[in-house]
Amino acid sequence: MSHAVELRGIVKRFGTFVANDCVDLVVKAGEIHAIVGENGAGKTTLMNVLFGLLQPDGGEILIDGKPIVVANPRAAIAAGLGMVHQHFKLVPSLTVAENVFLGMERGRAGFVDHKAQIAETERLSRDFGLKVDPTEQVGLLSVGIEQRIEILKVLARGARIIILDEPTAVLTPQESRELFQTLRGFVAQGMTVIFITHHLEEVMAVSDTVTVLRLGRKVDTRPTADVTKNDLVQMMVGRSVSFDRRQREPSTGGTVLSVKDLWCRDDRGLPAVRGVSFDVRAGEVVGIAGVAGNGQTELAEVLSGLRPASHGTFRIHGEDLTAASPRRIRDTGVAHVPGDRVVRGVDRQSSIAANILMGRQDTPPWARGSLIDWAVVRERSSEMMERFDVRASGPDALVKSLSGGNMQKVVLAREFSHDADFLLVDQPTRGVDIGATESIHNEIMRQRADGRAILLISVQLDELIALADRILVMFNGLIMGELPGDSVSEEALGLLMAGVQTGPDRAAVA
Amino acid sequence: MSETLRPVIGQAIAIFIALALGTVVIMVVGESPILVFATLLEGAFGSTERIAGTLLQTTPILVCGIAACISFRGGLFNIGVEGQLFMGGFAAVIVGIYLPLPAGLHMLVGILVAMLAGMAWIAIPAFFRARYNANEVVSTILSNYVAVLLTSYFTIFLFKRPGGWSETAPILPSAYLPELFSFSRLNWGLIIGLALAVAVQLYFRHTSRGYSVSIMGQNLKFAEYGGVDIKRHIFLVLLASGAVGGLAGGIEALGVHHRFMEGFAPGFGFDGVIAALLANGNPIGTIGAALFFGALRSGSLLLEVDTNASREIITVIQALIILSVSAQILMRRRGDSTAAERRWKF
Amino acid sequence: MAADVKVAAISGYFAQGFGQSIVAGLNKAKDDFGVEVKLIDTGNRALDYEEQFNNVAKDGEYDLVFVMGWELVDALTKAAEAYPDQRFIFIDGVLDSDKIVYADFSEEEGSFVTGAFASLMAAKGSAIDGLGDGKSIGFVGGRDIPVIRNFLRGYEQGAKAAAPDVAVDAVFAGTFDDPAKGSELTMALYGEGNDIVYNVAGPTGEGVLQASAAADKYSIGVDIDQCDVAPGHVMASMLKRGDIAVYSLIKDEVEGRTVKPGTYSFDLKSGGVELLMCPQTIDMVPEDVKSKVSELRDAVINGDIKITE
Ligand SMILES: Nc1ncnc2c1ncn2[C@@H]1O[C@H](COP(=O)(O)OP(=O)(O)OP(=O)(O)O)[C@@H](O)[C@H]1O
Ligand SMILES: [Mg+2]
């Protein structure tokens, strides 16, 4: 088998920090090659070098056996590479088809030929089983669909070697399975796939070969068939990690959050949450499961004051906050880890310290009077970075220079350190490595033990099963049923998530 | 390269490219570029009086630039600084003529009223931006024309000095903003501008509200999520920006012209916006950018007398600078598409 | 001798009607006497004016500095104080300072002849193509300022002297820079039966002339030869011969009749103002109109007719 990609001794430094330290990588043509490693191990950096987004400080790149200089993504695309980034780069105000052809518009005589673009998007979408509506505006779509568009973009540019950076981080198990189907389709047609993931079961399930990176160096490349999940964990973090259900005391606290017949609309004005009611008690983790796009995100936004409710109420400690501002809700004791960290969770242009300050800029000791005490902010930020294992040069590092997982940890550090009675946690371990996932899970359990009420929204069923006391399943804006966390099967959850009713007292919802 | 240095170097390269293109233009029109640049330098910095003249031109650009910076910081574009300047200048003149007060106090009241006038002038665009998300770029641009025409109308039809050209009566000396030196009209406005630049810089860095506004400017959704009252802050930021625009007018009225007339201070608002853009919304950087434009302006006045090049060459060079700087900003932002979407979207 | 006379001109209007005639006079002087000429465009910023005067006067390089534009008056007065040896010539007006040379045009005399011509034509009524009942003639002023009032005064008195029954309908645009406004006002004047409209309105007046073509009526140009703006519809132009004023002042200087502070008048007699009947329409002007106009013109030159304040 020939080599689709060969990297020899790639070195990439940021200042004095070495993100890739003499990395060799061989990807054979027609294989699915997984790359794993902790947050900040240098996976994204390595792929950015390959794709011409970063210039290496040393080393060589060979595509199809020929050495080339990848001066920019254009050169990479010309060489047959395509990349779907960890954070999407779509233009929200344009349609799907316009995004797919952005920068390479199909046109006649200087005019964009929208018809042709739509037709071609439809064709690609059909051929590769990536369902989209080419005429829809991207800003209104869910992340799952945005990813399909990113893949279509790559395909439209004629890529034969496709790089996906944590493609499954934003997907539901169902969507992930579909994606893998698509990826297998690609290799069946002779293409080559490189993908980065933190989910080892995905590595085991779809990849032919796996490479482990650690602290900027390559640990090893192995045929997937020759390794076990535990081997990989050992290679990545140097110890074993467990994701079994956490032991716990039964919760006994009073009701903190009480939601009654809550409704809201999505960005298009259609009902997204359609009359949900539930309580969350102190010292309890209530999980919300569901395929992405069934109202979970909108529910979280209503509960944090970012989206108006169209009907119903929610109370915290008995206080009606349905029409309250985000500020007021925060002041009542709510912390919120948002589902989309790049849009809501951080300001990428600011430092870690400035990100951690958000929400406390009026509160002593962070601020004295109306003046911010940056010395305190830095000091506290450093402490939190240590506690949450944020790997960066210091509190002044810009968030945009962080790896995806570390960005997420900054969000968690900020929100979990608020003295909040109610934690609204949306996809807390999205893009986080297994070692850090374990410590985030520990942190959530610690918060639970401290008597906080926690609403955990996740598309990761194993995460819900490991953490939740009760699991509510959302489908189409409704709560389809409630399952106890300690005796739930993925099958039962899966049925509810698909909209199939199980309780005898409920009418079926199609 | 450090993160703070990168834009500065980018900007410097953009200016360099513009000057290089300017050189070509100068050669095309048949002048010696060396003579032109030497004359520009001589005209801008050749003597104490000329330096004072340059600073005189710099002052309104600087103050207008700070006004623009304030709005940029909040992720907003007050392109109406020009209009606020005209309204502020006019209001200050009215106070200067008709509200006799003790010296000093009279001047302070004039400045204050100028700021209020600038604020009032942006209040409507600010309200519609905050309440209904109506694009402030369009509304503030339009408000410029109204301000220039309205003040001109008032000057000609209501407050015209008898017998004279289209100008008001002079203000009372008690309202004068004092001059710094005997040999120039350069006045305390420059000191106010410099102090304001430092104050605004410190405000954004060190106060809670300044922090909230900066974050709002960089990622509105994040600020909203973090509990910043978006509508309120948008409104306040635009008002503050308008007040500083009005201040620029007050300084020109009470410090330089001592009356209002046609051609009061055209273009300074726009130059200020460009200076702020060139400085990437940083008030301290705006000092440098304003000085650069001020020097071009005052240098160009000598250029016209001492060489065969027209003053329009400077307009061309300035346009080239705007082009290459905007291109540079776009290029820098492209790597970060979320940011590009958010800020430089007009 | 002559070759070392150097002159400069400062104005913001070199590209506009009257400014163009100044430039023409300067160029003619350059060709005829070899004087060196420098033009300095003030632009529109009040802040720049003082510095521009300083730059021109600083080395005493220029023998004469022509200044045009009322907005420059303050800066001019200051400069005249600061550089007492520099001779500044203010074109088209008289100020308080006795250190300045004034080139003054008798626009009221030129407008008198214009008023006479327009009213006589209008009185012919429908005998002439495109004219109606001939009850009144129109006037579009740029702004209601003293100079423009001066034009109007002459125009009204000329009309009265030539055809007492013809009234003058005068409007002001409020701006010199809005041709659209000029058109609009002119259309309104035509609508009220004023078939000939005299513009004294700078670029606003362009709109007046264009409206005459659009409405198939008549107009009269001002300051410079505007016959070509709407050929066949501009009947005449009242010329303020800036070129003659500038040229004759430079000529005096070159020939040793040193120009001194004080007022130099340019009137019908000296050729500083005159009425030009456009070649495109001159054939439709009846002989009796021509002779009556020239008769009235001579009366002004002789002093038989005085234009009153
Ligand atoms: N532009 C930059 N400037 C400074 N440091 C950077 C920059 N980009 C990346 N880094 C650093 O390089 C290291 C590797 O980052 P990279 O994004 O490659 O990690 P990763 O393996 O993709 O991690 P994750 O799984 O969290 O996405 C990180 O420590 C990160 O902070
Ligand atoms: Mg990464």
Side-chain angles (χ1 to χ4, degrees):
Chain A
M1 221 191 257
S2 64
H3 296 168
V5 173
E6 187 172 353
L7 301 179
R8 288 188 190 150
I10 295 294
V11 179
K12 179 66 199 174
R13 295 188 200 92
F14 294 109
T16 55
F17 180 81
V18 186
N20 284 153
D21 191 358
C22 223
V23 179
D24 299 322
L25 178 72
V26 172
V27 180
K28 285 176 279 193
E31 72 169 351
I32 298 185
H33 193 120
I35 297 181
V36 297
E38 286 180 292
N39 294 130
K43 307 179 293 291
T44 300
T45 304
L46 189 66
M47 291 302 111
N48 283 345
V49 167
L50 171 58
F51 194 59
L53 284 162
L54 292 171
Q55 291 311 307
D57 297 305
E60 249 189 306
I61 299 174
L62 291 81
I63 306 285
D64 299 326
K66 285 186 285 294
I68 67 164
V69 178
V70 192
N72 50 44
R74 227 169 256 282
I77 290 167
L81 289 163
M83 182 158 177
V84 175
H85 297 276
Q86 190 166 6
H87 300 128
F88 301 153
K89 304 194 172 192
L90 298 172
V91 183
S93 53
L94 298 182
T95 66
V96 172
E98 283 165 345
N99 265 289
V100 168
F101 288 95
L102 192 67
M104 48 170 282
E105 284 77 7
R106 293 278 185 272
R108 270 177 311 197
F111 291 95
V112 176
D113 185 348
H114 288 282
K115 276 216 185 90
Q117 292 195 1
I118 291 168
E120 204 160 334
T121 306
E122 261 165 3
R123 185 183 62 75
L124 286 169
S125 151
R126 207 167 345 101
D127 288 359
F128 293 97
L130 294 156
K131 227 172 72 189
V132 293
D133 175 353
T135 56
E136 242 178 323
Q137 193 185 323
V138 166
L140 302 172
L141 300 175
S142 69
V143 262
I145 298 183
E146 283 186 31
Q147 182 179 64
R148 290 186 204 155
I149 303 168
E150 287 283 7
I151 297 176
L152 285 171
K153 266 174 84 167
V154 165
L155 294 172
R157 282 159 182 73
R160 293 172 297 105
I161 303 165
I162 297 179
I163 307 164
L164 300 107
D165 193 352
E166 298 194 30
T168 56
V170 295
L171 302 184
T172 60
Q174 179 55 30
E175 285 174 316
S176 297
R177 276 193 292 275
E178 284 171 20
L179 173 70
F180 293 138
Q181 208 72 49
T182 310
L183 297 187
R184 288 211 189 82
F186 289 167
V187 290
Q189 299 188 27
M191 303 198 237
T192 306
V193 173
I194 305 174
F195 82 102
I196 299 175
T197 183
H198 289 296
H199 298 290
L200 299 181
E201 63 279 11
E202 296 173 4
V203 176
M204 304 314 291
V206 289
S207 71
D208 302 305
T209 313
V210 53
T211 293
V212 180
L213 293 185
R214 183 163 188 213
L215 300 174
R217 292 206 179 82
K218 187 176 90 168
V219 180
D220 208 350
T221 297
R222 297 267 198 88
T224 310
D226 294 0
V227 292
T228 64
K229 249 168 94 169
N230 270 335
D231 297 340
L232 291 176
V233 173
Q234 282 289 349
M235 285 195 263
M236 282 165 64
V237 292
R239 63 183 166 88
S240 59
V241 170
S242 144
F243 289 109
D244 296 340
R245 181 166 172 81
R246 304 302 170 103
Q247 295 310 306
R248 65 194 70 206
E249 300 295 309
S251 49
T252 52
T255 302
V256 176
L257 172 75
S258 168
V259 179
K260 289 249 150 38
D261 191 25
L262 196 67
W263 292 67
C264 78
R265 296 175 186 283
D266 64 14
D267 291 336
R268 285 169 293 190
L270 303 173
V273 175
R274 306 190 297 157
V276 303
S277 305
F278 60 91
D279 290 348
V280 183
R281 281 173 295 152
E284 181 186 43
V285 177
V286 173
I288 293 200
V291 176
N294 276 285
Q296 304 98 306
T297 306
E298 286 83 358
L299 174 62
E301 285 175 354
V302 173
L303 296 181
S304 52
L306 296 167
R307 182 181 291 277
S310 50
H311 184 78
T313 57
F314 72 91
R315 290 164 193 277
I316 288 168
H317 289 312
E319 191 180 341
D320 186 347
L321 293 173
T322 317
S325 67
R327 165 91 276 156
R328 170 100 192 288
I329 291 175
R330 276 185 178 272
D331 289 347
T332 315
V334 176
H336 177 198
V337 176
D340 188 342
R341 66 173 167 253
V342 183
V343 173
R344 283 260 191 231
V346 293
D347 173 29
R348 287 162 49 86
Q349 316 294 321
S350 296
S351 66
I352 294 175
N355 270 275
I356 285 182
L357 178 62
M358 178 47 79
R360 312 169 150 112
Q361 63 265 40
D362 300 313
T363 326
W366 305 80
R368 280 173 308 177
S370 56
L371 291 184
I372 291 169
D373 189 336
W374 282 104
V376 169
V377 176
R378 268 195 209 92
E379 192 188 302
R380 298 269 175 130
S381 301
S382 298
E383 287 166 22
M384 287 186 199
M385 286 169 70
E386 193 146 330
R387 181 164 147 216
F388 286 87
D389 191 28
V390 179
R391 310 247 174 106
S393 56
D396 291 327
L398 294 187
V399 164
K400 69 176 174 191
S401 75
L402 299 183
S403 75
N406 279 309
M407 252 183 229
Q408 180 69 359
K409 290 187 219 162
V410 169
V411 179
L412 291 163
R414 180 185 62 230
E415 296 302 316
F416 281 10
S417 59
H418 278 298
D419 208 8
D421 292 337
F422 172 51
L423 303 181
L424 181 52
V425 186
D426 197 354
Q427 322 298 346
T429 57
R430 176 177 281 174
V432 173
D433 69 47
I434 45 177
T437 296
E438 187 189 33
S439 63
I440 289 168
H441 285 181
N442 289 342
E443 186 66 32
I444 290 176
M445 290 312 288
R446 186 150 74 220
Q447 299 280 348
R448 178 188 182 277
D450 285 351
R452 313 224 190 290
I454 299 165
L455 186 65
L456 172 66
I457 301 173
S458 180
V459 293
Q460 229 71 61
L461 296 186
D462 50 358
E463 177 161 276
L464 291 168
I465 291 169
L467 300 178
D469 295 291
R470 299 181 282 138
I471 300 173
L472 309 174
V473 182
M474 274 186 87
F475 174 76
N476 211 359
L478 296 168
I479 291 179
M480 299 300 293
E482 178 183 321
L483 300 169
D486 56 5
S487 60
V488 64
S489 66
E490 291 211 14
E491 285 68 40
L493 274 174
L495 280 175
L496 285 175
M497 284 165 65
V500 181
Q501 208 79 40
T502 52
D505 53 336
R506 285 180 202 154
V509 176
Chain B
M1 216 179 332
S2 96
E3 281 292 333
T4 45
L5 214 57
R6 202 196 307 266
V8 175
I9 290 176
Q11 248 48 332
I13 292 172
I15 291 181
F16 182 79
I17 291 172
L19 290 179
L21 287 174
T23 306
V24 174
V25 174
I26 292 165
M27 292 189 332
V28 167
V29 301
E31 255 300 346
S32 143
I34 294 177
L35 177 67
V36 167
F37 286 119
T39 310
L40 275 177
L41 269 181
E42 154 84 20
F45 302 110
S47 69
T48 323
E49 287 83 356
R50 291 201 181 285
I51 293 173
T54 294
L55 295 176
L56 182 67
Q57 300 269 357
T58 301
T59 303
I61 302 176
L62 171 60
V63 179
C64 290
I66 297 170
C69 279
I70 292 174
S71 73
F72 291 177
R73 270 302 177 91
L76 299 160
F77 284 91
N78 173 12
I79 313 294
V81 183
E82 181 100 356
Q84 291 131 28
L85 179 150
F86 270 73
M87 295 312 286
F90 187 80
V93 165
I94 296 304
V95 170
I97 299 171
Y98 296 106
L99 191 75
L101 285 171
L105 179 65
H106 195 182
M107 182 269 288
L108 286 178
V109 171
I111 291 283
L112 203 72
V113 169
M115 295 179 75
L116 287 174
M119 233 191 242
W121 199 244
I122 203 174
I124 293 175
F127 174 78
F128 280 95
R129 176 65 173 80
R131 188 80 182 73
Y132 301 107
N133 210 15
N135 190 333
E136 78 282 4
V137 175
V138 177
S139 57
T140 53
I141 284 183
L142 291 179
S143 72
N144 282 331
Y145 299 107
V146 182
V148 172
L149 294 175
L150 194 67
T151 51
S152 156
Y153 176 86
F154 283 158
T155 306
I156 294 160
F157 292 102
L158 299 176
F159 295 100
K160 195 171 84 68
R161 178 165 69 98
W165 181 240
S166 317
E167 62 186 27
T168 66
I171 60 172
L172 302 172
S174 55
Y176 285 12
L177 188 60
E179 289 175 356
L180 289 172
F181 310 106
S182 56
F183 56 83
S184 164
R185 289 177 291 167
L186 185 62
N187 56 68
W188 274 85
L190 177 69
I191 309 295
I192 295 177
L194 293 173
L196 192 65
V198 175
V200 169
Q201 175 82 352
L202 292 176
Y203 185 86
F204 281 118
R205 179 76 190 133
H206 290 288
T207 69
S208 311
R209 174 153 287 155
Y211 164 84
S212 301
V213 170
S214 305
I215 296 285
M216 177 177 89
Q218 304 201 64
N219 185 349
L220 185 115
K221 289 197 155 180
F222 174 56
E224 181 188 30
Y225 149 90
V228 175
D229 184 340
I230 298 296
K231 293 185 174 182
R232 189 180 143 85
H233 280 75
I234 285 178
F235 189 65
L236 291 179
V237 165
L238 285 176
L239 280 196
S241 176
V244 175
L247 171 68
I251 288 171
E252 287 309 283
L254 306 185
V256 182
H257 298 307
H258 301 152
R259 68 205 147 112
F260 196 88
M261 70 287 221
E262 289 219 67
F264 174 69
F268 284 115
F270 291 114
D271 283 9
V273 169
I274 293 158
L277 219 49
L278 188 60
N280 223 353
N282 179 316
I284 303 295
T286 304
I287 299 176
L291 182 64
F292 180 66
F293 285 135
L296 273 184
R297 292 227 159 267
S298 74
S300 71
L301 297 178
L302 184 62
L303 188 64
E304 191 152 52
V305 176
D306 280 7
T307 75
N308 294 322
S310 147
R311 197 148 48 92
E312 303 305 326
I313 290 241
I314 294 310
T315 317
V316 172
I317 291 180
Q318 227 174 349
L320 288 171
I321 290 173
I322 296 167
L323 275 181
S324 60
V325 167
S326 355
Q328 192 267 129
I329 289 172
L330 284 181
M331 264 156 36
R332 185 149 44 84
R333 300 261 158 187
R334 206 167 58 170
D336 196 1
S337 63
T338 44
E341 267 288 303
R342 211 161 45 234
R343 285 193 81 184
W344 310 94
K345 63 182 168 202
F346 75 102
Chain C
M1 46 135 242
D4 35 75
V5 170
K6 285 173 122 183
V7 303
I10 302 188
S11 175
Y13 305 102
F14 291 129
Q16 295 178 16
F18 188 54
Q20 285 174 347
S21 80
I22 305 274
V23 175
L26 289 167
N27 284 337
K28 186 162 189 303
K30 182 158 93 184
D31 293 345
D32 291 359
F33 311 124
V35 298
E36 222 177 272
V37 173
K38 178 95 214 171
L39 297 185
I40 291 139
D41 186 345
T42 52
N44 63 346
R45 280 188 194 216
L47 193 58
D48 296 347
Y49 304 154
E50 281 191 23
E51 194 64 20
Q52 287 172 313
F53 276 93
N54 287 340
N55 283 336
V56 166
K58 64 180 189 321
D59 304 325
E61 191 181 344
Y62 299 101
D63 300 280
L64 303 175
V65 176
F66 293 93
V67 180
M68 188 186 109
W70 284 85
E71 72 280 14
L72 302 179
V73 162
D74 263 15
L76 167 63
T77 317
K78 263 200 187 177
E81 291 290 333
Y83 303 93
D85 297 333
Q86 175 70 61
R87 280 168 297 156
F88 291 106
I89 301 170
F90 186 61
I91 296 176
D92 208 9
V94 180
L95 312 173
D96 294 335
S97 167
D98 57 3
K99 299 197 168 59
I100 298 171
V101 186
Y102 301 102
D104 189 29
F105 292 94
S106 309
E107 56 266 344
E108 71 283 2
E109 287 190 12
S111 295
F112 181 92
V113 182
T114 308
F117 169 70
S119 63
L120 287 168
M121 288 301 284
K124 291 284 171 196
S126 38
I128 290 172
D129 248 12
L131 291 184
D133 62 6
K135 289 268 162 43
S136 63
I137 53 178
F139 176 95
V140 174
R143 267 208 233 109
D144 193 354
I145 53 176
V147 216
I148 305 298
R149 280 276 169 196
N150 233 7
F151 280 88
L152 178 57
R153 210 150 42 78
Y155 188 63
E156 284 174 335
Q157 292 179 27
K160 190 151 203 178
D165 294 339
V166 178
V168 173
D169 212 345
V171 293
F172 292 89
T175 165
F176 285 101
D177 296 314
D178 190 350
K181 184 94 185 275
S183 284
E184 203 177 293
L185 291 171
T186 308
M187 287 302 184
L189 284 173
Y190 288 147
E192 286 160 18
N194 305 284
D195 296 327
I196 305 174
V197 177
Y198 178 30
N199 93 84
V200 187
T204 301
E206 303 260 328
V208 174
L209 306 178
Q210 269 142 19
S212 68
D216 199 15
K217 302 271 181 185
Y218 298 102
S219 56
I220 296 174
V222 76
D223 290 353
I224 53 160
D225 180 352
Q226 292 186 309
C227 299
D228 291 335
V229 177
H233 298 278
V234 183
M235 285 188 142
S237 280
M238 198 292 272
L239 306 183
K240 250 159 87 172
R241 301 292 300 266
D243 50 345
I244 287 190
V246 169
Y247 182 83
S248 79
L249 284 165
I250 296 175
K251 184 166 192 235
D252 282 357
E253 182 73 14
V254 169
E255 293 176 352
R257 296 184 298 279
T258 310
V259 174
K260 294 202 183 65
T263 303
Y264 290 69
S265 250
F266 297 92
D267 51 13
L268 281 176
K269 191 172 176 180
S270 63
V273 291
E274 68 183 33
L275 182 73
L276 169 78
M277 293 187 198
C278 292
Q280 295 95 333
T281 51
I282 195 149
D283 289 343
M284 55 194 271
V285 180
E287 281 310 315
D288 63 322
V289 171
K290 287 184 191 157
S291 60
K292 180 79 181 165
V293 167
S294 106
E295 189 182 302
L296 284 166
R297 174 176 175 275
D298 292 344
V300 174
I301 290 175
N302 299 338
D304 293 346
I305 293 183
K306 287 249 176 318
I307 295 153
T308 54
E309 285 291 318

